[in-house]
């Protein structure tokens, strides 16, 4: 399994006390599977993505990615694991404000030791339709443009696992379809496993599986027969 969660739970201590966010999540995701994660606002979709990406540590149960128990890795090992195997697109993009679009996309490639980081970053931006925005800073771009830069950045290192939070949420229909093609191309051409949080039925319907969260628990799952 590429991702394997066993009775995973997440509780966070906030100013208002302890909040239980995810409960008893048991879930296996196989190589090259595409999973649509759906559910109401506040149901825990982003939190579950953070657990899978090793960006939040489970407070109960286990989370394994590519056979490694993420709950047992220290911060450095976890950071290396993410760099080498995972791409994450956050709901709020998390672009570095002082870097141009090109620099944002090139940075993880440089960190991964790629000599042609800037050439590849330029190609990735062309692929998301932002060839004309390479020198722009995040504050000079629309929400949908920033989202596409974040996607290009996550996809550029060809991660084994791509986790994306609402990757088409701010995009018009045709740009959204272009981004979906790019995401599924990562699976088709590079064998990536995709977990996509989405409110879009179009995107959910293209996935092999749809998983629904309600109040921090898995509610139901639809498995598409075509994927079997
Ligand atoms: N750092 C935090 N501290 C305390 N509670 C949090 C924290 N982050 C999230 N929560 C709570 O956890 C619950 C799940 O949040 P999460 O962001 O995972 O939901 P979501 O399904 O992604 O929602 P949306 O569709 O609105 O993005 C919410 O009730 C939220 O208020
Ligand atoms: Mg969310």
């Amino acid at each position: 399994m590429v991702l394997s969660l066993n009775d995973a739970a997440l509780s966070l201590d906030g100013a208002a006390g302890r909040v239980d966010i995810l409960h008893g999540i048991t879930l296996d995701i196989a190589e090259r599977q595409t999973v649509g994660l759906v559910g109401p606002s506040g149901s825990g979709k982003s939190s579950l993505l953070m657990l899978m990406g090793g960006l939040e540590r489970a407070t109960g149960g286990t989370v394994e990615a590519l056979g490694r128990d993420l709950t047992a890795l220290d911060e450095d090992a976890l950071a290396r694991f993410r760099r080498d195997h995972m791409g994450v697109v956050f709901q709020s993009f998390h672009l570095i404000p002082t870097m141009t679009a090109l620099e944002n996309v090139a940075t993880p490639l440089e960190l991964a030791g790629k000599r042609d980081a800037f050439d590849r970053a330029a190609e990735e931006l062309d692929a998301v339709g932002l060839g004309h925005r390479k020198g722009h800073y995040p504050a000079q771009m629309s929400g949908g443009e920033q989202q596409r830069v974040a996607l290009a950045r996550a996809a550029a290192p060809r991660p084994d696992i791509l986790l994306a939070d609402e990757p088409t949420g701010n995009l018009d229909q045709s740009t959204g379809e272009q981004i979906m093609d790019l995401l599924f191309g990562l699976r088709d051409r590079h064998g990536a496993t995709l977990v996509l949080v989405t409110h879009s039925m179009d995107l959910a319907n293209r996935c092999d599986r749809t998983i629904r969260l309600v109040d921090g628990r898995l509610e139901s799952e639809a498995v598409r027969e075509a994927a079997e």
Side-chain angles (χ1 to χ4, degrees), residues 9-23 42 47 56 59:
L10 180 68
S11 302
L12 292 175
D13 290 311
R18 193 172 176 81
V19 191
D20 296 323
I21 297 176
L22 295 169
H23 315 264
S47 304
E56 290 283 1
T59 46

Side-chain angles (χ1 to χ4, degrees), residues 43-110:
S43 59
K45 304 180 297 296
S46 296
S47 304
L48 181 55
L49 217 60
M50 295 299 106
L51 269 194
M52 289 175 172
L55 293 147
E56 290 283 1
R57 223 174 257 276
T59 46
T62 56
V63 176
E64 286 182 16
L66 300 169
R68 304 281 291 278
D69 180 0
L70 299 186
T71 51
L73 297 181
D74 65 28
E75 285 304 320
D76 284 351
L78 205 49
R80 269 198 307 278
F81 185 84
R82 285 201 304 264
R83 183 195 70 196
D84 294 339
H85 301 289
M86 294 210 182
V88 182
V89 182
F90 297 92
Q91 198 164 12
S92 51
F93 320 135
H94 290 199
L95 296 175
I96 299 171
T98 54
M99 287 188 180
T100 64
L102 187 68
E103 290 163 346
N104 263 285
V105 179
T107 296
L109 294 169
E110 282 192 303

Side-chain angles (χ1 to χ4, degrees), residues 114-180:
K114 303 279 185 263
R115 288 174 179 277
D116 58 346
F118 279 83
D119 290 341
R120 276 187 50 185
E123 286 169 21
E124 296 295 328
L125 284 171
D126 289 338
V128 296
L130 287 181
H132 59 308
R133 290 283 183 270
K134 293 188 182 87
H136 280 57
Y137 291 90
Q140 303 169 322
M141 288 184 280
S142 73
E145 287 169 345
Q146 293 180 53
Q147 184 166 41
R148 283 183 280 158
V149 174
L151 192 77
R153 178 179 62 180
R158 303 287 176 254
D160 298 307
I161 303 169
L162 184 85
L163 308 172
D165 207 337
E166 292 279 4
T168 60
N170 292 280
L171 306 178
D172 60 80
Q173 177 102 16
S174 81
T175 313
E177 279 167 16
Q178 189 188 331
I179 292 304
M180 281 192 250

